[in-house]
Each structure stands twice: as C-alpha cells, then as structure tokens.
Amino acid sequence: CTSCNGTLFLYQNSCINNCPDHYYPANNICNNCSGVCKTCNGPLNTNCLSCDSPYALFDSQCVSPCPDGFYNLNHICTVCDVTCRTCNGGTSTSCLSCNGTKSLHQNECIDSCPEHYYAANNICSVCDSTCANCSGASSSNCLNCYSPRFLFNSQCLTTCPDGFYKSNNVCILCDSTCASCNGSSNTNCLSCNGTRLLYQTECRNSC
C-alpha cells in the first residue's frame, strides 16, 4: 500500500487500524513521534502522551529525572508531599531532600533535628557519641552531655578540670579563691589557690 482509505493508517506499506508506539496518526499516515515519546499526538517533544523507561511524562514532555517537587510514578511525574523538595513517593515520609529551613531525618522533612543530631545543609546528621546534642560532627561541638559526662569548652568530659565543679552535666567555674570546689560560692572550696589556706570550705589569706 502507498495510501489508505477511511480510518486506516499507512504504516510500513500496510494499512492498519491503530498506529504502534512511537507513532501518531495524521492524514491516514502513522508519523514518527519526537525523541523519547512512547505515544504522542504530534511531532514535537511537547506532544508526548506517555514515555519509555526511564523517562516520565511532565507537562507533555518526557523527562528524566522529574523536576524538584515531583517523582516518577508509572512513568508520570507525580507531585511530592508539600514538605519535600525531592522525593520517591507521595507521602511526607518519602522525602529525599527538603525545602527552606527544614532538615531531612529518616525520609521526613522536619523543623528541628531530634536529640543527638544536628542540622547541616538541610540534613540531620548524627552527633559524636559523647554529645547529647551538638552543633557539628566533632567531639568538640557538643552543646550538652549524657550522664556521666560534663560539658566543658564544648566537649563532654568524664570529669571536670581543676577550678570547676560538676552540676547538671556541666562544668561550672569555681570561685576565684578555690583551686577545687563543689559549688560556685567562696564557701564551697575543697582546696585553695596560691598561698591561701583552707578553713571550713573557705580559702583565706590567713588562718
């Protein structure tokens, strides 16, 4: 055949009822679709109706990957949950990255990271094992500590250095007269600095 009658379409010298994939019918002829269109209704790459793998249909085009805010569901770009920037499913627990100030934790975009995690580049990353909470990955980025550790200069130590006492998992500076102490007052000294002498938990210049 070189042409077809009625509702038939010319395809590879035969007249057929329906054009195969990658072709569209026009003027009784099966014409080539553009690019990666599986089915189409015209010759342009904006005339796609469905797509071959791994492409997905978005705004009448076949794209890979889908743009931010969409994921590939059965070769169609389908909208992500509003909390996700990118995703692999339609729920709030299918996020791959996050919008704005939210951070990704276990495939969810959340406002603040849970205990023992810190936010960096919109991702909740785990703190050093010594920190309860932190501002970075290092052991010197601690914000507070698990018992029996105590916070000192952004580190969680097993004991406080001289001149500091333990209180609520924090090392707190002793009074300036004390070398060591168990409280912040000058009457909480356990030992003394310099030439001072300890008398009933107080460091004096003389007895």
Side-chain angles (χ1 to χ4, degrees):
C1 297
T2 56
S3 62
C4 301
N5 294 320
T7 59
L8 299 177
F9 301 96
L10 184 66
Y11 174 73
Q12 294 182 353
N13 300 321
S14 297
C15 291
I16 57 177
N17 290 312
N18 297 293
C19 293
D21 288 349
H22 307 292
Y23 292 83
Y24 70 96
N27 301 318
N28 294 101
I29 297 171
C30 290
N31 300 279
N32 284 305
C33 294
S34 172
V36 292
C37 300
K38 183 177 182 180
T39 58
C40 65
N41 59 9
L44 304 177
N45 62 0
T46 55
N47 293 138
C48 298
L49 298 175
S50 65
C51 305
D52 284 321
S53 181
Y55 297 92
L57 188 67
F58 179 75
D59 198 20
S60 299
Q61 297 183 71
C62 290
V63 298
S64 181
C66 293
D68 285 356
F70 294 83
Y71 69 102
N72 187 337
L73 178 65
N74 298 323
H75 306 299
I76 296 172
C77 290
T78 306
V79 69
C80 296
D81 183 85
V82 67
T83 61
C84 308
R85 181 182 179 187
T86 58
C87 68
N88 58 9
T91 68
S92 63
T93 57
S94 302
C95 300
L96 298 176
S97 63
C98 303
N99 288 314
T101 58
K102 291 184 180 291
S103 296
L104 185 69
H105 179 67
Q106 296 179 351
N107 297 112
E108 287 189 86
C109 290
I110 56 180
D111 291 322
S112 58
C113 295
E115 184 175 283
H116 200 56
Y117 288 82
Y118 68 98
N121 300 317
N122 296 100
I123 296 173
C124 291
S125 299
V126 69
C127 296
D128 183 82
S129 61
T130 60
C131 308
N133 286 302
C134 66
S135 59
S138 170
S139 62
S140 60
N141 294 135
C142 298
L143 298 175
N144 48 48
C145 307
Y146 293 123
S147 292
R149 291 180 178 270
F150 303 90
L151 187 66
F152 177 74
N153 286 348
S154 300
Q155 292 180 289
C156 289
L157 308 178
T158 55
T159 189
C160 293
D162 289 345
F164 292 80
Y165 69 97
K166 303 169 183 176
S167 178
N168 297 320
N169 298 108
V170 178
C171 294
I172 298 177
L173 185 66
C174 295
D175 182 81
S176 61
T177 62
C178 308
S180 61
C181 66
N182 58 11
S184 60
S185 169
N186 65 350
T187 59
N188 293 128
C189 298
L190 299 175
S191 63
C192 302
N193 285 319
T195 59
R196 289 180 181 270
L197 303 170
L198 183 66
Y199 175 74
Q200 294 181 351
T201 70
E202 186 177 356
C203 289
R204 297 183 175 186
N205 288 322
S206 61
C207 292

